Short mmCIF file of all heavy atoms in Angstrom, two decimals:
data_model
loop_
_atom_site.label_atom_id
_atom_site.label_comp_id
_atom_site.label_asym_id
_atom_site.label_seq_id
_atom_site.Cartn_x
_atom_site.Cartn_y
_atom_site.Cartn_z
N HIS A 51 1.36 -15.65 4.44
CA HIS A 51 -0.05 -15.63 4.09
C HIS A 51 -0.88 -16.18 5.25
O HIS A 51 -0.50 -17.16 5.88
CB HIS A 51 -0.30 -16.45 2.81
CG HIS A 51 -1.57 -16.07 2.15
ND1 HIS A 51 -2.78 -16.61 2.50
CD2 HIS A 51 -1.83 -15.16 1.18
CE1 HIS A 51 -3.73 -16.07 1.77
NE2 HIS A 51 -3.18 -15.19 0.96
N LEU A 52 -2.00 -15.55 5.50
CA LEU A 52 -2.85 -15.92 6.63
C LEU A 52 -3.44 -17.33 6.53
O LEU A 52 -3.84 -17.89 7.55
CB LEU A 52 -4.00 -14.91 6.78
CG LEU A 52 -3.58 -13.51 7.22
CD1 LEU A 52 -4.74 -12.54 7.07
CD2 LEU A 52 -3.08 -13.53 8.65
N ASP A 53 -3.48 -17.91 5.35
CA ASP A 53 -4.06 -19.25 5.25
C ASP A 53 -3.00 -20.35 5.15
O ASP A 53 -3.31 -21.48 4.81
CB ASP A 53 -5.05 -19.34 4.07
CG ASP A 53 -4.38 -19.22 2.71
OD1 ASP A 53 -3.15 -19.06 2.65
OD2 ASP A 53 -5.10 -19.27 1.71
N ASN A 54 -1.75 -20.03 5.48
CA ASN A 54 -0.70 -21.05 5.42
C ASN A 54 0.29 -20.90 6.58
O ASN A 54 1.49 -20.73 6.35
CB ASN A 54 0.04 -20.99 4.07
CG ASN A 54 0.99 -22.14 3.90
OD1 ASN A 54 0.92 -23.14 4.61
ND2 ASN A 54 1.90 -22.02 2.96
N PHE A 55 -0.21 -20.99 7.80
CA PHE A 55 0.69 -20.86 8.93
C PHE A 55 1.57 -22.09 9.14
O PHE A 55 2.65 -21.98 9.70
CB PHE A 55 -0.08 -20.51 10.21
CG PHE A 55 -0.54 -19.08 10.20
CD1 PHE A 55 -1.87 -18.77 10.32
CD2 PHE A 55 0.36 -18.04 10.06
CE1 PHE A 55 -2.30 -17.46 10.31
CE2 PHE A 55 -0.05 -16.72 10.04
CZ PHE A 55 -1.39 -16.43 10.16
N ASP A 56 1.14 -23.25 8.67
CA ASP A 56 2.03 -24.41 8.73
C ASP A 56 3.25 -24.18 7.85
O ASP A 56 4.38 -24.50 8.23
CB ASP A 56 1.30 -25.70 8.32
CG ASP A 56 0.40 -26.23 9.42
OD1 ASP A 56 0.65 -25.91 10.59
OD2 ASP A 56 -0.55 -26.96 9.09
N GLY A 57 3.04 -23.59 6.68
CA GLY A 57 4.15 -23.24 5.82
C GLY A 57 5.04 -22.18 6.44
O GLY A 57 6.27 -22.23 6.32
N ALA A 58 4.42 -21.22 7.13
CA ALA A 58 5.19 -20.17 7.82
C ALA A 58 6.08 -20.79 8.89
O ALA A 58 7.26 -20.43 9.01
CB ALA A 58 4.25 -19.14 8.42
N LEU A 59 5.53 -21.71 9.67
CA LEU A 59 6.32 -22.35 10.71
C LEU A 59 7.45 -23.19 10.12
O LEU A 59 8.57 -23.20 10.64
CB LEU A 59 5.43 -23.22 11.61
CG LEU A 59 4.45 -22.45 12.49
CD1 LEU A 59 3.54 -23.43 13.24
CD2 LEU A 59 5.17 -21.54 13.45
N ALA A 60 7.18 -23.87 9.02
CA ALA A 60 8.23 -24.65 8.35
C ALA A 60 9.35 -23.73 7.86
O ALA A 60 10.53 -24.05 8.02
CB ALA A 60 7.64 -25.44 7.18
N THR A 61 8.99 -22.59 7.30
CA THR A 61 9.99 -21.63 6.83
C THR A 61 10.80 -21.09 8.00
O THR A 61 12.03 -21.02 7.93
CB THR A 61 9.30 -20.46 6.09
OG1 THR A 61 8.64 -20.99 4.94
CG2 THR A 61 10.29 -19.40 5.68
N LEU A 62 10.12 -20.70 9.07
CA LEU A 62 10.83 -20.18 10.24
C LEU A 62 11.79 -21.22 10.82
O LEU A 62 12.92 -20.90 11.16
CB LEU A 62 9.84 -19.72 11.31
CG LEU A 62 9.09 -18.42 11.00
CD1 LEU A 62 7.95 -18.23 11.98
CD2 LEU A 62 10.05 -17.23 11.02
N CYS A 63 11.33 -22.46 10.90
CA CYS A 63 12.20 -23.52 11.43
C CYS A 63 13.42 -23.71 10.55
O CYS A 63 14.55 -23.85 11.05
CB CYS A 63 11.43 -24.83 11.55
SG CYS A 63 10.30 -24.87 12.95
N GLY A 64 13.23 -23.69 9.24
CA GLY A 64 14.35 -23.85 8.33
C GLY A 64 15.34 -22.70 8.42
O GLY A 64 16.55 -22.91 8.50
N GLU A 65 14.82 -21.49 8.45
CA GLU A 65 15.69 -20.31 8.50
C GLU A 65 16.40 -20.16 9.84
O GLU A 65 17.53 -19.69 9.90
CB GLU A 65 14.88 -19.04 8.20
CG GLU A 65 14.40 -18.95 6.77
CD GLU A 65 15.55 -18.85 5.78
OE1 GLU A 65 16.51 -18.10 6.04
OE2 GLU A 65 15.47 -19.53 4.74
N MET A 66 15.72 -20.53 10.91
CA MET A 66 16.28 -20.36 12.25
C MET A 66 16.97 -21.62 12.76
O MET A 66 17.44 -21.68 13.90
CB MET A 66 15.17 -19.96 13.24
CG MET A 66 14.48 -18.68 12.91
SD MET A 66 15.55 -17.30 13.25
CE MET A 66 14.53 -15.94 12.71
N ARG A 67 16.98 -22.66 11.92
CA ARG A 67 17.59 -23.96 12.27
C ARG A 67 16.98 -24.52 13.56
O ARG A 67 17.68 -24.87 14.51
CB ARG A 67 19.09 -23.82 12.38
CG ARG A 67 19.72 -23.50 11.06
CD ARG A 67 21.22 -23.56 11.12
NE ARG A 67 21.77 -23.40 9.79
CZ ARG A 67 22.50 -22.37 9.42
NH1 ARG A 67 22.76 -21.41 10.27
NH2 ARG A 67 22.97 -22.30 8.20
N LEU A 68 15.66 -24.59 13.56
CA LEU A 68 14.92 -25.16 14.68
C LEU A 68 14.22 -26.43 14.22
O LEU A 68 13.89 -26.58 13.05
CB LEU A 68 13.87 -24.17 15.19
CG LEU A 68 14.39 -22.85 15.76
CD1 LEU A 68 13.24 -21.88 15.98
CD2 LEU A 68 15.14 -23.10 17.06
N ALA A 69 13.97 -27.31 15.15
CA ALA A 69 13.16 -28.51 14.89
C ALA A 69 11.74 -28.23 15.35
O ALA A 69 11.50 -27.35 16.17
CB ALA A 69 13.74 -29.70 15.63
#
Side-chain angles (χ1 to χ4, degrees):
H51 201 275
L52 292 169
D53 68 0
N54 188 16
F55 286 122
D56 283 336
L59 291 175
T61 297
L62 287 168
C63 285
E65 291 296 317
M66 300 287 178
R67 294 188 173 114
L68 297 170

